């Protein structure tokens, strides 16, 4: 159901817009994190939101096939990450949720909102460099199907 809502949001507000055009600022709940991820990362709440502002950023900056893949799979990357890292200073977002799908690693950067409870997707992309995460602090990961922190 969420996937269709996200697809409709993109179709209505994002697709076909001119590069860097201003779009209506809409926001929907993308998913609720698993209890293991909430506990392992110390989140107050597990609701993750996504906005048209972020979608427009991705639409303008990513190749079409990558954008389409991320729209179809963002909820899986965020709800069922294999690793969660603390994001580095100077990067957008506070946490990096990483999942390998089809032999390719994908990252969704999550930002804790000013109220301290809500989480919002800041950006998402395919990791192109094998050593990209080398200097990131690992906060949580799945090991042998058992969550660990």
């Amino acid at each position: 159901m969420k996937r269709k809502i996200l697809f409709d949001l993109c179709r209505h507000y994002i697709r076909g817009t001119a590069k860097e055009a201003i779009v209506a600022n809409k926001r929907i709940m993308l998913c609720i994190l698993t209890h293991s991820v909430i506990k392992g990362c110390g989140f107050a709440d597990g609701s993750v939101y996504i906005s048209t502002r972020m979608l427009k950023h991705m639409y303008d900056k990513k190749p079409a096939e990558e954008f389409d893949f991320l729209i179809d799979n963002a909820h899986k990357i965020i709800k069922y990450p294999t690793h969660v890292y603390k994001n580095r200073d100077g990067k957008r977002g506070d946490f990096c949720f990483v999942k390998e799908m089809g032999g390719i690693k994908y990252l969704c950067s999550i930002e804790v909102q000013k109220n301290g409870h809500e989480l919002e997707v800041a950006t998402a992309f395919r990791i192109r460099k094998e050593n990209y995460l080398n200097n990131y602090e690992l906060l949580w990961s799945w090991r042998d199907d058992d969550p660990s922190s």
Side-chain angles (χ1 to χ4, degrees):
M1 182 64 175
K2 292 288 183 195
R3 187 171 161 211
K4 181 179 178 349
I5 294 170
L6 183 57
F7 177 79
D8 288 346
L9 190 72
C10 287
R11 184 175 48 84
H12 188 73
Y13 293 103
I14 308 299
R15 293 202 188 271
T17 59
K19 187 171 180 148
E20 298 183 12
I22 296 172
V23 297
N25 192 16
K26 304 292 182 183
R27 193 174 101 145
I28 62 167
M29 185 169 63
L30 180 64
C31 66
I32 298 174
L33 299 176
T34 63
H35 180 70
S36 297
V37 174
I38 294 169
K39 183 179 174 187
C41 296
F43 296 130
D45 184 17
S47 299
V48 180
Y49 296 86
I50 194 165
S51 71
T52 51
R53 179 177 167 237
M54 188 288 276
L55 292 169
K56 177 63 174 155
H57 162 75
M58 283 182 22
Y59 182 76
D60 287 349
K61 304 290 182 188
K62 307 293 175 223
E65 63 81 20
E66 184 175 348
F67 176 80
D68 290 341
F69 182 88
L70 288 166
I71 294 307
D72 285 343
N73 294 285
H75 65 285
K76 292 177 193 171
I77 298 166
I78 295 165
K79 186 167 181 133
Y80 305 111
T82 52
H83 298 88
V84 178
Y85 296 87
K86 181 181 183 308
N87 207 353
R88 294 174 47 195
D89 292 337
K91 299 277 187 175
R92 180 92 194 273
D94 302 298
F95 299 91
C96 299
F97 285 55
V98 177
K99 183 171 186 74
E100 187 171 321
M101 301 175 80
I104 300 170
K105 287 184 182 175
Y106 292 89
L107 182 148
C108 286
S109 178
I110 304 294
E111 195 169 58
V112 178
Q113 297 302 292
K114 291 180 183 177
N115 65 17
H117 294 286
E118 293 179 353
L119 305 171
E120 188 167 313
V121 180
T123 192
F125 55 89
R126 174 177 45 223
I127 297 175
R128 288 171 171 78
K129 294 181 182 177
E130 187 63 36
N131 64 349
Y132 184 84
L133 296 167
N134 283 358
N135 295 322
Y136 285 72
E137 178 187 347
L138 180 64
L139 299 176
W140 180 90
S141 68
W142 283 98
R143 293 190 188 142
D144 300 326
D145 294 329
D146 293 324
S148 63
S149 42

